[in-house]
Amino acid sequence: MPALNTTSVSGQSQTVCVTGAGGFIASWLVKFLLEKGYTVRGTLRNPDDPKNEHLKELDGAKERLTLHKVDLLDLQSVKAAFHGCDGVFHTASPVTDNPEEMLVPAVNGTKNVIIAAAEAKVGRVVFTSSIGTVYMDPKRSRDFVVDESCWSDLEYCKNTKNWYCYGKVVAEQTAWDIAKDKGVDLVVVNPVLVIGPLLQPTINASTIHISKYLTGSAKTYVNATQSYVHVKDVALAHILVYETPSASGRYICSESSLHRGELVEILAKFFPEYPIPTKCSDEKNPRVKPYIFSNQKLKDLGLEFTPVKQCLYETVKSLQEKGHLPVPTGQEHY
């Protein structure tokens, strides 16, 4: 992972806004932006909620962080937050498979962000999308290298009731359409499943994906694959595409893919005291092949990805430190 250049002039005189500032990725993004000297405005549904207290304790927060109560579905409140900003990082989005909770907030919130950014004459908007907008296409072979030119098939998302991916596709396409119409400089980051240490006190969906294999709640693992990336790398990718004038289009943010069998093997090696499953729920069929995601565009900008084994180790250690997992004795160390 590249060291942050805290003396960089890039952030010294710039004010940027981060939507959904208390989230998993957003918290790290706020932390790194403050370290780089940016003045940061964070939008939250409720700035006084105790789960957002960790933001106020970040280095530089007292001097250069303000938290704003903003409803992304209320265009006026978004405009007020963006007024006077040089850049916007739009990370806020619902994480749900409920179509009613996903579609309208994701799409209309994104629409308001781009419209407000255009009116505020913001220099660049960096939008947190998802690998879910890229790979969902049953016609594409798993031997095919999936890159930024690929889009998920909306009909397939709908037919498989994957409303999260459906909502993310429509939200990202909406962002591109309105940005083009309004002349907004938009760059998109498409992360895979994001893991790593938590800054916020609450557990989030992507870390539950790991913790379920340690708590005993998962007795077997499924015959499936998943791609992973470290939360710090995702936050740094956002800053990298914001600060690089030539950055454009979409950027897949992925370190590597693992079959669930490989995932549990790594976890068992690091943390043998936990009841980690050893059996696959599908022992008839061969192991599913992982998708091949290209991360070359971010590597070309200079991002060095954290190895997936280190990501997994740091995720579990963080879950222990935050009290989400019991700490057994005699653990192996990375």
Side-chain angles (χ1 to χ4, degrees):
M1 193 184 301
L4 273 171
N5 176 7
T6 49
T7 58
S8 163
V9 292
S10 55
Q12 296 283 308
S13 57
Q14 288 214 20
T15 298
V16 293
C17 187
V18 178
T19 68
F24 183 37
I25 297 168
S27 296
W28 280 100
L29 180 54
V30 171
K31 176 180 164 67
F32 288 155
L33 287 166
L34 290 170
E35 284 177 13
K36 294 200 78 176
Y38 285 89
T39 296
V40 183
R41 295 180 192 170
T43 78
L44 296 159
R45 279 196 292 258
N46 180 9
D48 299 322
D49 191 317
K51 72 179 183 188
N52 296 315
E53 282 300 304
H54 64 286
L55 295 171
K56 298 169 189 173
E57 291 157 20
L58 295 171
D59 286 349
K62 284 187 176 65
E63 300 78 23
R64 287 177 285 106
L65 174 67
T66 51
L67 301 178
H68 304 259
K69 184 179 172 66
V70 171
D71 176 0
L72 293 179
L73 301 182
D74 172 10
L75 180 58
Q76 295 311 316
S77 74
V78 182
K79 283 182 184 177
F82 290 1
H83 182 72
C85 284
D86 300 286
V88 166
F89 295 88
H90 179 38
T91 75
S93 180
V95 179
T96 174
D97 275 327
N98 180 325
E100 287 172 16
E101 289 172 17
M102 181 68 208
L103 293 175
V104 174
V107 175
N108 290 353
T110 299
K111 203 180 283 184
N112 285 344
V113 163
I114 304 295
I115 292 167
E119 287 201 16
K121 296 186 170 47
V122 162
R124 175 169 281 179
V125 175
V126 179
F127 174 55
T128 314
S129 187
S130 163
I131 200 68
T133 69
V134 178
Y135 80 97
M136 293 275 292
D137 186 346
K139 297 186 289 294
R140 203 181 288 132
S141 159
R142 292 218 180 190
D143 295 321
F144 181 86
V145 177
V146 177
D147 65 15
E148 287 80 2
S149 67
C150 302
W151 281 88
S152 291
D153 183 312
L154 270 180
E155 281 305 305
Y156 179 64
C157 294
K158 195 188 287 182
N159 294 340
T160 53
K161 294 189 165 40
N162 191 326
W163 298 114
Y164 175 75
C165 289
Y166 185 90
K168 290 301 266 189
V169 172
V170 178
E172 190 189 326
Q173 289 177 340
T174 299
W176 284 117
D177 291 345
I178 299 175
K180 189 178 176 188
D181 182 52
K182 301 280 183 187
V184 172
D185 180 6
L186 176 69
V187 185
V188 172
V189 179
N190 301 80
V192 293
L193 190 84
V194 184
I195 57 174
L198 306 163
L199 287 178
Q200 84 278 13
T202 50
I203 196 166
N204 56 301
S206 59
T207 44
I208 289 171
H209 171 87
I210 305 300
S211 67
K212 71 182 179 192
Y213 292 116
L214 300 147
T215 57
S217 63
K219 306 298 182 198
T220 57
Y221 59 85
V222 291
N223 185 10
T225 66
Q226 184 72 52
S227 296
Y228 301 95
V229 67
H230 198 296
V231 64
K232 292 182 187 179
D233 297 347
V234 180
L236 289 173
H238 281 69
I239 296 172
L240 199 52
V241 301
Y242 177 72
E243 291 183 348
T244 307
S246 61
S248 66
R250 310 161 90 199
Y251 287 83
I252 290 175
C253 197
S254 169
E255 199 281 317
S256 61
S257 299
L258 295 174
H259 189 276
R260 291 292 197 287
E262 295 172 293
L263 171 72
V264 295
E265 281 162 23
I266 293 166
L267 292 173
K269 189 179 171 205
F270 286 142
F271 304 101
E273 291 81 6
Y274 287 108
I276 295 164
T278 54
K279 281 203 158 137
C280 184
S281 57
D282 167 17
E283 295 193 320
K284 291 196 188 88
N285 296 300
R287 278 192 174 183
V288 172
K289 287 170 80 169
Y291 289 95
I292 308 162
F293 294 127
S294 170
N295 58 10
Q296 197 57 49
K297 270 186 84 178
L298 276 174
K299 280 185 173 173
D300 288 347
L301 291 187
L303 190 69
E304 295 171 31
F305 287 91
T306 308
V308 69
K309 286 184 180 180
Q310 187 180 334
C311 298
L312 290 167
Y313 180 80
E314 289 183 16
T315 304
V316 177
K317 294 303 283 185
S318 175
L319 288 169
Q320 290 173 345
E321 285 159 17
K322 296 277 182 183
H324 298 302
L325 270 179
V327 184
T329 54
Q331 289 175 349
E332 284 190 31
H333 294 287
Y334 182 68

